[in-house]
């Protein structure tokens, strides 16, 4: 982070804003007129397993849907975890200096962003786990298992793009960031923040 003079706003204040991933900035610019363009995306691969525990051929799973199938996410956990780490911009100011400034991520881990009473204004970018891996896996499996997502031809659409937001259905309320900032000795700022992510689900 860097010190920053931030005039014109009542003190104290602190806020977070989700930022686009650097590798997706050009893609976002190319679709700048599309207000639905996501700040971040994550590609997942799933497969169907029949009642005998055998993987259903992709060609079959792509042409029909069977309620007896179970679904598995085949994308490696490390890749999903990387997709759940989203960049955020932080800006804060406190005339008497912050004595504590931290964010709890979706995994419940606290990250101290500033702990220096003489720094009273700063801004910068950082990356935080904004969704849990378990949430992404559960969501993808639930989506594939839900008959309401089957089209008129009796099949799921692959690939599918689904926008999700942390902290609200159908995503768990746990999937959010919690900002806590203490200005001086008494003023406490505590606010939740919710990441947004576009899932691209394809057959393995």
């Amino acid at each position: 982070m860097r010190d920053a003079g931030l005039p014109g706003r009542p003190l104290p204040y602190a806020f977070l804003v989700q930022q686009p991933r650097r590798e997706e900035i050009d893609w976002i610019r190319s679709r700048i007129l599309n207000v639905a363009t996501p700040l971040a995306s994550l590609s997942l691969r799933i497969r169907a397993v029949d009642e005998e525990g055998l993987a259903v051929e992709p060609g079959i799973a792509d042409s029909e849907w069977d309620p007896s199938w179970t679904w598995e996410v085949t994308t490696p956990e490390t890749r999903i975890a990387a997709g759940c780490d989203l960049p955020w911009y932080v800006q804060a100011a406190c005339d008497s200096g912050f004595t504590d400034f931290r964010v709890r991520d979706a995994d419940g881990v606290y990250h101290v962003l500033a702990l220096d009473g003489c720094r009273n204004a700063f801004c910068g970018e950082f990356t935080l786990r904004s969704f849990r891996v378990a949430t992404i896996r559960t969501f993808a499996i639930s989506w594939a298992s839900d008959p309401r997502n089957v089209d008129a031809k009796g099949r799921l659409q692959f690939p599918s793009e689904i926008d999700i937001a942390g902290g609200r259905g159908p995503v768990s309320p746990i999937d959010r960031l919690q900002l806590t900032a203490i200005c001086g000795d008494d003023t406490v700022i505590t606010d939740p923040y919710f990441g947004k992510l576009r899932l691209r689900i394809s057959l393995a």
Side-chain angles (χ1 to χ4, degrees), residues 2-194:
R2 62 183 185 277
D3 291 327
L6 307 170
R9 183 161 183 165
L11 302 179
Y13 69 84
F15 63 85
L16 307 177
V17 180
Q18 185 180 344
Q19 300 294 293
R21 291 198 183 101
R22 297 189 185 281
E23 62 269 25
E24 298 190 82
I25 289 177
D26 290 340
W27 179 72
I28 290 173
R29 285 173 178 165
S30 71
R31 302 179 63 185
I32 195 67
L33 297 180
N34 180 359
V35 295
T37 299
L39 292 173
S41 61
L42 171 59
S43 295
L44 286 179
R45 289 193 173 274
I46 63 175
R47 68 178 179 185
V49 177
D50 64 21
E51 292 178 293
E52 297 180 355
L54 302 175
V56 178
E57 290 293 331
I60 296 176
D62 193 36
S63 61
E64 62 182 84
W65 181 85
D66 190 323
S68 68
W69 292 344
T70 57
W71 293 84
E72 300 175 342
V73 175
T74 62
T75 303
E77 183 170 329
T78 53
R79 184 171 298 177
I80 299 175
C84 293
D85 291 339
L86 305 180
W88 293 80
Y89 171 79
V90 59
Q91 183 170 305
C94 166
D95 52 1
S96 58
F98 287 105
T99 57
D100 193 8
F101 197 103
R102 64 184 65 200
V103 176
R104 186 185 65 202
D105 68 17
D107 280 340
V109 178
Y110 281 92
H111 303 263
V112 177
L113 306 182
L115 187 55
D116 188 345
C118 66
R119 291 185 63 187
N120 57 16
F122 56 85
C123 61
E125 292 187 12
F126 58 96
T127 299
L128 283 175
R129 178 65 48 84
S130 303
F131 292 88
R132 296 173 303 152
V133 172
T135 293
I136 300 300
R137 286 182 175 275
T138 299
F139 179 88
I141 292 171
S142 297
W143 173 83
S145 304
D146 192 337
R148 293 174 296 180
N149 297 321
V150 176
D151 65 17
K153 296 181 179 179
R155 62 185 185 183
L156 293 170
Q157 289 292 328
F158 292 105
S160 283
E161 292 189 346
I162 308 165
D163 291 335
I164 62 174
R168 64 198 73 176
V171 177
S172 168
I174 298 175
D175 294 273
R176 64 179 184 177
L177 306 179
Q178 185 71 42
L179 167 68
T180 300
I182 301 178
C183 176
D185 296 325
D186 52 4
T187 303
V188 179
I189 302 170
T190 175
D191 294 304
Y193 290 87
F194 308 97

